[in-house]
Amino acid sequence: MTAKVIDGKAIAEQIRTEVTNEVSKRATAGLPRPGLATVLVGDNPGSQSYVRSKQKACKEAGIESFGHELPADVSQKELEGLVVSLSADPRVNGILVQLPLPAGLDEEGVLNAVALNKDVDGFHPVNIGRLAQKGREPLFIPCTPAGVMYMLNQELPSLEGVNAVVLGRSNIVGMPVALLLVRANATVTICHSRTKNLADVVRQADVLVAAVGRAEMVRGSWIKPGAVVIDVGINRVEDASRPRGYRLVGDVAYDEAVQVAGAITPVPGGVGPMTIAMLLRNTLRAAEIAD
Ligand code: GUN
């Protein structure tokens, strides 16, 4: 059996078209354009490229973007001051502080300064706390985890009682994905660098979400036949045959896994485009909350 390939690019495109249409309806109704402020600290090339893609996507959807770039040695006070001023700026509906921040800055302090109703990344401690608690509703769900759940939902409309294994426990992906899966009534196992018999644990997974950042770590032989595999990893591996000298691969050995899984996301073209689509959606929602 060969797995169904989940086309994240096409799904994201559809969501972006929906957001674009809603934004233009707002303009016709005389409502202000949604606005997203991006805050980029330091000169990490990966972060620079992510922020550029987010700004470009905003432009294409008719969302205004306000870019702020600060040097890596900015003080905590100055950075928090900027976020506080964006929180008070009526043109700004959403605030995105690109993570990770350079060493020496207190991430939690910065995220705490984001107004709750502008927390389009869903990383404010209150939003994450609500995500972890029964009967509480976060205002926004973090973008990559929301994209993962959107794709899973299309494959498996009910996750009730499903064995879900999450590889990785990062604040940005692994942990919020695990919390979302619990909220969807899946039975969730979180694996990390200290997990014993990892391959055996993964073999129990009806749903596997891989978010560890290690190129092709998950082998085809680890995958339960028919499982839905969502690969969040985007890893560069050297490849002299490519013009850029590298190619991108996921955390899952795709060529092996595609022979075993029921459905699988490719890298690139899987989860990546969904993150941006969810950010646009959250920014539109933030503008609607502000109306
Ligand atoms: N770094 C990696 N992914 C993300 C994300 O979704 N949002 C922010 N702010 N930083 C990130």
Side-chain angles (χ1 to χ4, degrees):
M1 191 178 81
T2 305
K4 170 186 167 185
V5 179
I6 304 171
D7 187 348
K9 209 170 153 201
I11 303 169
E13 205 49 59
Q14 197 186 326
I15 295 168
R16 285 171 66 161
T17 302
E18 283 164 20
V19 171
T20 308
N21 292 342
E22 283 306 311
V23 169
S24 95
K25 269 195 219 160
R26 285 176 62 86
T28 311
L31 290 165
R33 287 194 180 285
L36 175 73
T38 57
V39 179
L40 174 62
V41 186
D43 50 12
N44 178 307
S47 292
Q48 286 171 332
S49 144
Y50 282 133
V51 169
R52 268 198 307 273
S53 307
K54 289 168 185 179
Q55 290 171 335
K56 180 165 169 269
C58 279
K59 197 168 177 205
E60 285 168 13
I63 292 173
E64 276 201 78
S65 74
F66 307 96
H68 295 267
E69 291 182 20
L70 297 168
D73 62 357
V74 68
S75 70
Q76 182 76 20
K77 195 165 167 226
E78 194 180 332
L79 176 54
E80 285 186 23
L82 170 64
V83 175
V84 167
S85 76
L86 295 171
S87 290
D89 184 340
R91 296 169 308 163
V92 172
N93 299 114
I95 301 170
L96 178 140
V97 181
Q98 186 66 25
L99 301 178
L101 291 172
L105 289 165
D106 167 24
E107 183 182 296
E108 190 180 354
V110 175
L111 295 175
N112 234 332
V114 174
L116 255 193
N117 59 350
K118 299 188 178 186
D119 179 34
V120 288
D121 247 339
F123 293 152
H124 188 289
V126 169
N127 272 326
I128 285 290
R130 287 180 181 166
L131 190 66
Q133 296 191 318
K134 259 181 147 171
R136 312 264 161 89
E137 289 302 326
L139 268 170
F140 298 98
I141 308 276
C143 302
T144 304
V148 168
M149 294 305 288
Y150 191 99
M151 292 202 248
L152 272 179
N153 223 274
Q154 294 215 321
E155 294 310 309
L156 299 171
S158 168
L159 291 168
E160 193 151 316
V162 156
N163 279 339
V165 171
V166 180
L167 301 187
R169 53 180 163 177
S170 71
N171 290 340
I172 293 177
V173 186
M175 192 55 75
V177 164
L179 294 171
L180 286 163
L181 287 163
V182 169
R183 288 173 85 93
N185 296 322
T187 301
V188 182
T189 306
I190 304 172
C191 298
H192 43 76
S193 52
R194 314 285 164 83
T195 299
K196 297 198 172 100
N197 304 323
L198 183 59
D200 288 338
V201 179
V202 172
R203 275 188 202 105
Q204 306 301 312
D206 303 307
V207 163
L208 174 65
V209 179
V212 278
R214 289 186 55 186
E216 299 177 324
M217 184 185 85
V218 177
R219 308 304 304 262
S221 62
W222 298 16
I223 292 175
K224 182 174 174 177
V228 179
V229 177
I230 309 288
D231 190 351
V232 185
I234 301 178
N235 309 292
R236 285 183 183 188
V237 296
E238 275 185 38
D239 186 340
S241 72
R242 301 292 174 103
R244 282 183 296 191
Y246 66 87
R247 69 195 150 87
L248 296 177
V249 300
D251 292 347
V252 177
Y254 182 87
D255 292 343
E256 297 174 8
V258 77
Q259 313 287 338
V260 190
I264 187 167
T265 59
V267 177
V271 176
M274 295 297 292
T275 299
I276 289 185
M278 291 300 164
L279 174 66
L280 299 180
R281 234 189 178 197
N282 280 353
T283 305
L284 170 62
R285 259 210 49 236
E288 289 168 351
I289 292 170
D291 286 344

